[in-house]
Amino acid sequence: MEDIIGLNDRGEEKFGRNFMRTLQVSGLTKNYGEKKALDDVSFQINQGEIVGLIGKNGAGKTTLLNCIAGNIFPDAGSICFENKDLLVNCEIRKEFGILIQPSFLDYMNTYDNLRLLQNAVGIWDKKLIRKQSDEVLKIVGLEGKGKTFVKSFSFGMKQRLGFAQALLNGYKFMILDEPFVGLDINGRAMVKEYIKKIVKEKQIGVIFSDHNLDEVRSLCERVIVIKDGKKIYDKGLEEDGQYEIGVESVNQGLIQAMAGIPGVEIDTEKSSLAFNNNTDLHQVIAAIVPHARIVFVKSSENDLENMLKGE
């Protein structure tokens, strides 16, 4: 795969080890009439990071991915990659692997569909085109299907071909909208393992959407949740655990003691403190004891399923 992932058509390296490739989305807003499809969405994805994007149908996930991919122009905000404005310099996206509602020319065979994509990014060498096509088809389990007309493909085979299209240009970043839809167990495992492989080896960034939280958890360490066009959650999955400690009363001494421990939120009305499991529970308890009597300690997990249900 060295000819596909990491080298351009002239054989030159596309990656500098000391250069951080960061996607920065800032204040992204998109309106459809009175409906806000995206409402001031901001986040950052670094190289070597796989981020899951989840939300109910109509939450704004696909609109967000389409804005990053250049299929939709936002009404406000910015999208930058390598500190370059993607809304101005769209050429950068030629090195993005994109799988969003893949489309094909059914009356052409598989090779011709992949060739058109390669031509679009400036690759015309016939031997290189065939070599790269054969490599990605082998990766996605469509080896030997190069001369097969796409109209004969099942939905799952078309999904695999869509992933092959994304691999052809996925030198620096990948945008995947529900990449597991229509795939059997082997197909899902293939996609996940290969994403993990190229992210580890080539340090590209990936954002992908899916409704299956088990798939999300098996592939990424960080999740962004979109609800009604707004980002409501953006954390690593290791931050899921939450603690709540109830005290008899909140006093100034307790407030001052907690000021020295980042991440602790104090609710004076409930007389409680909340923090995630990145904060040392014993450290918090030790800081509370001189100032207040502890009434209870609760441990729970952020329920991403409930976020999707809107609870």
Side-chain angles (χ1 to χ4, degrees):
M1 281 299 294
E2 283 298 321
D3 289 323
I4 297 176
I5 307 298
L7 301 178
N8 63 17
D9 57 306
R10 295 179 300 279
E12 299 168 339
E13 286 197 20
K14 287 180 176 286
F15 296 99
R17 289 294 181 183
N18 298 319
F19 187 75
M20 178 65 75
R21 295 170 200 84
T22 300
L23 178 80
Q24 294 175 308
V25 175
S26 303
L28 210 63
T29 299
K30 179 63 182 178
N31 301 314
Y32 293 112
E34 295 183 358
K35 176 179 172 55
K36 275 192 177 294
L38 295 175
D39 188 0
D40 195 27
V41 176
S42 300
F43 59 86
Q44 177 174 305
I45 299 176
N46 296 319
Q47 65 184 55
E49 188 175 25
I50 306 174
V51 176
L53 177 66
I54 61 176
K56 296 191 297 183
N57 287 333
K61 303 187 303 299
T62 299
T63 299
L64 174 58
L65 296 181
N66 270 314
C67 285
I68 299 172
N71 299 327
I72 295 175
F73 200 86
D75 296 319
S78 64
I79 307 169
C80 295
F81 186 76
E82 297 178 343
N83 293 321
K84 298 175 183 177
D85 189 346
L86 288 181
L87 301 180
V88 176
N89 186 357
C90 60
E91 290 293 306
I92 303 170
R93 292 192 183 93
K94 287 186 176 181
E95 296 179 296
F96 282 18
I98 300 172
L99 173 57
I100 302 177
Q101 297 176 338
S103 60
F104 316 99
L105 297 176
D106 285 351
Y107 59 87
M108 288 186 173
N109 65 29
T110 303
Y111 279 141
D112 286 338
N113 272 276
L114 294 178
R115 173 182 55 80
L116 291 175
L117 185 65
Q118 290 160 297
N119 290 164
V121 296
I123 300 175
W124 296 94
D125 185 282
K126 292 181 179 179
K127 290 183 179 180
L128 178 62
I129 288 173
R130 179 58 64 90
K131 183 176 185 290
Q132 291 186 343
S133 297
D134 283 337
E135 286 177 339
V136 294
L137 290 176
K138 182 178 180 180
I139 290 167
V140 302
L142 292 177
E143 189 174 12
K145 299 292 185 181
K147 295 183 179 180
T148 303
F149 286 93
V150 175
K151 64 182 178 182
S152 68
F153 278 12
S154 66
F155 181 74
M157 292 173 72
K158 288 184 177 180
Q159 281 294 103
R160 288 173 182 258
L161 183 55
F163 187 53
Q165 287 181 324
L167 289 178
L168 280 175
N169 294 335
Y171 298 111
K172 291 186 175 182
F173 197 83
M174 296 191 78
I175 304 165
L176 308 174
D177 189 18
E178 299 192 19
F180 308 118
V181 170
L183 297 180
D184 57 19
I185 294 175
N186 291 332
R188 292 197 298 271
M190 171 273 298
V191 171
K192 285 188 286 188
E193 289 308 309
Y194 197 76
I195 291 173
K196 291 177 181 178
K197 180 177 183 290
I198 60 174
V199 167
K200 181 179 179 181
E201 292 180 356
K202 305 302 177 183
Q203 289 296 295
I204 67 172
V206 176
I207 182 170
F208 78 99
S209 71
D210 202 86
H211 286 94
N212 189 323
L213 292 181
D214 290 333
E215 300 286 14
V216 172
R217 290 186 176 107
S218 69
L219 186 56
C220 68
E221 296 180 350
R222 177 178 154 214
V223 169
I224 293 173
V225 179
I226 299 290
K227 179 182 178 182
D228 297 329
K230 293 185 178 182
K231 185 186 77 172
I232 62 170
Y233 184 88
D234 183 357
K235 293 183 180 180
L237 290 176
E238 76 280 357
E239 301 177 46
D240 263 2
Q242 294 285 310
Y243 290 110
E244 183 182 5
I245 299 178
V247 295
E248 281 192 339
S249 63
V250 174
N251 54 57
Q252 194 60 37
L254 178 63
I255 293 173
Q256 291 178 352
M258 291 305 104
I261 305 178
V264 178
E265 297 181 1
I266 300 176
D267 189 325
T268 55
E269 292 184 5
K270 293 182 178 180
S271 294
S272 65
L273 302 85
F275 51 96
N276 64 46
N277 60 5
N278 283 342
T279 303
D280 190 327
L281 173 63
H282 299 290
Q283 180 188 9
V284 176
I285 291 176
I288 292 173
V289 169
H291 305 285
R293 180 174 175 271
I294 295 176
V295 178
F296 66 82
V297 178
K298 292 181 180 179
S299 176
S300 63
E301 292 186 355
N302 281 326
D303 193 341
L304 294 177
E305 286 86 355
N306 284 340
M307 286 188 188
L308 288 174
K309 295 175 184 176
E311 296 178 0

